Amino acid sequence: MSPHSSAPDQTGQDRTIHQPIRPARHPGRWVAIAFVVLLVAMFVNTLITNPRFEWPVVAQYFTSGTILLGVQRTLELTAIAMLSGVGLGVVLAVMRLSPNPVLSSASWLFVWFFRGSPLLVQLLLWYNLSALFPDISLGIPFTGVEFIKIDANVLITPYLAALLGLGLNEAAYSAEIIRAGIISIDHGQTEAAQSIGMSRGRLLRRVVLPQAMRVIIPPLGNDTINMLKMSALVSIIAVPELLFAAQTIYSRTFETIPLLLVAVIWYLIVVSVLSAIQYYIERYYARGASRNLPLTPLQALRKFFGIRFGARPSTAR
Amino acid sequence: MSVESKETSPRIMVQATGVRKSFGPLEVLKGIDLALPHGEVMCLLGQSGSGKSTFLRCINHLERIDFGRIRVDGDLIGYNEKNGYLREMHEHEIARQRIHIGMVFQHFNLFPHMTALQNVIEGPIGVKREKRDEVRERAVAILERVGLADKLDAYPRQLSGGQQQRVAIARALAMRPKLILFDEPTSALDPELVSDVLDVMRDLAESGMTMIVVTHEIAFAREVADRVVFMADGEIVEQGRPGEVLGNPKHPQTQAFLAKVLV
């Protein structure tokens, strides 16, 4: 390194030429950090010192039978509503893209109705379906011939009403997501598939949908998380899911806040797990889309510490 | 495919008669007539917009034609003839015809979510329902033949343009087609990668594959083609042996085009 002399060197250059370049100062950042730390400290303090949180009660009910059954019901509702919703969504998306104007308009109409009216209202409509159709029967239309006839009150249980409401609503939303995914695929893919004699169905299954997944999965993950939370709405038609379970307990014990906290914590846990699953699904469908697959969190961690501890990462790929 | 006698003359692979096609008010093919015998290579030349790519795409019915007939190995493509008029075939019938007609695109159009090998075996296994082991063996051999023995498990995005185009040729070959259509196969490639692809195509031509190539590679046409067809404004203005058409063009438009290309 050059000696520190206050005089300019022989070439007449300023001596600062030899000084390392320093990053800019950001005093504002320190103020912001202090402010955020203060807020977090206040929040943690109130969590600990405010006795009305009643943490012992939270702990007591966290794994109680009623709550766990509620969690299970919530997961069930979410899974069935999402699966049937996305399945129907694929059909609706394909219908919407069909050259047949009747199919395409029917799909549009479906989406228009189920996306256009509030989910809560739809749930109440399904729940009260028996007021509109007292009996539901299977037969030949317009002939009066009936094979099976069931009292709507028996057939449409609150649970089925919840599934219908959530599932059909999801179908409308996912139809648009899937349609967006399908039309995002370059037409050259279709032509290449046709040129090797692929049928329309196989083209969709093997070529278009696997690629469209990259576009479809993130918003569908969003929908799944949304669905998990929206399923709390069905507590209004007395389906014993997580929120309803918490409500039944606190209506008895009046420990409202701690039981709502139990529900919130469970929702957060499930959402975290779902987010992790989504990450891995996205990674799976990324194959071929980028030159190298993104690292899993575990690999990223290993790489991070590998560099920290000076171990040379053997192959960067 | 040694069905000897069909109604049209047996040695003709591609026969086009009076093929016309419009996009809206614009007529892009104004009555194309040509015949290509088995095992020959035809290069289609002409300026952009002359209709050569459109015509090529009509041969495997990626484009509908408005009038005329296209026969491949005696079979009418895309339409059924009944009582003197034509009716378009169902999707699955057209798909069955396309099995015998390979196609290589300007932008490769490989399936990006499949490896090179998966791209090549997809057709024979998924469409022709052939046995996986046999197809795999054959696909590996084909990929070796196009010089990609070490890229079997590479995804298209990990390959250069020239390598991708050779995978695309392998994908077409794996279907054991009677005929392969090439739609400007080297136009999207960097100049230094063009020769790799042309070498593979030359090799194919020498092995007796019937090929129609839309191209701007005059040198390739001169060397490999059995006949050269020059198109302008939706019509064939000149055709014949490459030596005649390229060496001694008669039509002024061919002369003008070649003057521009062969600087």
Side-chain angles (χ1 to χ4, degrees), chain A residues 186 188-189 191-200 202 205-208 210-211 287-292, chain B residues 57 60 62 91 95 98 101 103 105 109-114 122-123 126-127 129 155 157-158 171 175:
Chain A
D186 178 36
Q189 292 289 306
E191 293 191 341
Q194 285 178 335
S195 79
I196 56 172
M198 259 194 214
S199 64
R200 226 167 231 292
R202 193 171 175 84
R205 268 198 334 275
R206 294 284 300 173
V207 177
V208 174
Q211 294 182 62
R287 99 209 111 102
S290 53
R291 282 173 186 234
N292 300 305
Chain B
R57 292 159 55 81
N60 67 351
L62 283 182
E91 201 92 29
R98 287 186 182 129
I101 308 171
M103 183 146 189
F105 299 87
N109 297 353
L110 290 177
F111 306 131
H113 58 302
M114 299 183 190
E122 176 63 27
V127 178
R129 304 268 163 220
Y155 285 99
R157 285 220 175 98
Q158 297 165 326
R171 176 174 66 181
M175 296 294 288

Side-chain angles (χ1 to χ4, degrees), chain B residues 32-53:
Chain B
I32 301 290
D33 296 287
L34 57 76
L36 178 68
H38 272 257
E40 289 203 2
V41 176
M42 173 186 282
C43 282
L44 278 178
L45 304 179
Q47 290 185 330
S48 1
S50 60
K52 54 195 192 314
S53 279

Side-chain angles (χ1 to χ4, degrees), chain A residues 88 109-130 132 156-158 160-173 227 230 233-234 236-237:
Chain A
L88 186 55
L109 207 68
F110 181 99
V111 172
W112 172 77
F113 180 80
F114 286 98
R115 204 173 56 168
S117 52
L119 176 56
L120 188 53
V121 178
Q122 288 175 32
L123 285 169
L124 290 170
L125 271 174
W126 286 115
Y127 184 63
N128 293 302
L129 195 70
S130 62
L132 186 60
I156 310 285
T157 60
L160 187 61
L163 280 179
L164 280 168
L166 295 174
L168 292 176
N169 202 258
E170 179 54 33
Y173 278 95
M227 173 66 74
M230 294 288 253
L233 275 181
V234 308
I236 201 145
I237 54 173

Side-chain angles (χ1 to χ4, degrees), chain A residues 216-290:
Chain A
I216 293 173
I217 293 293
L220 223 48
N222 214 19
D223 268 19
T224 311
I225 286 167
N226 217 18
M227 173 66 74
L228 183 84
K229 297 180 301 170
M230 294 288 253
S231 71
L233 275 181
V234 308
S235 61
I236 201 145
I237 54 173
V239 176
E241 46 69 65
L242 179 52
L243 178 61
F244 190 85
Q247 285 173 328
T248 28
I249 297 174
Y250 73 64
S251 65
R252 200 160 23 86
T253 67
F254 300 106
E255 291 156 326
T256 312
I257 292 294
L259 277 149
L260 287 178
L261 285 177
V262 167
V264 166
I265 294 170
W266 269 114
Y267 280 118
L268 287 174
I269 289 174
V270 178
V271 166
S272 310
V273 172
L274 288 178
S275 307
I277 294 173
Q278 182 186 343
Y279 179 86
Y280 281 94
I281 296 179
E282 277 182 32
R283 191 171 178 277
Y284 173 78
Y285 282 109
R287 99 209 111 102
S290 53

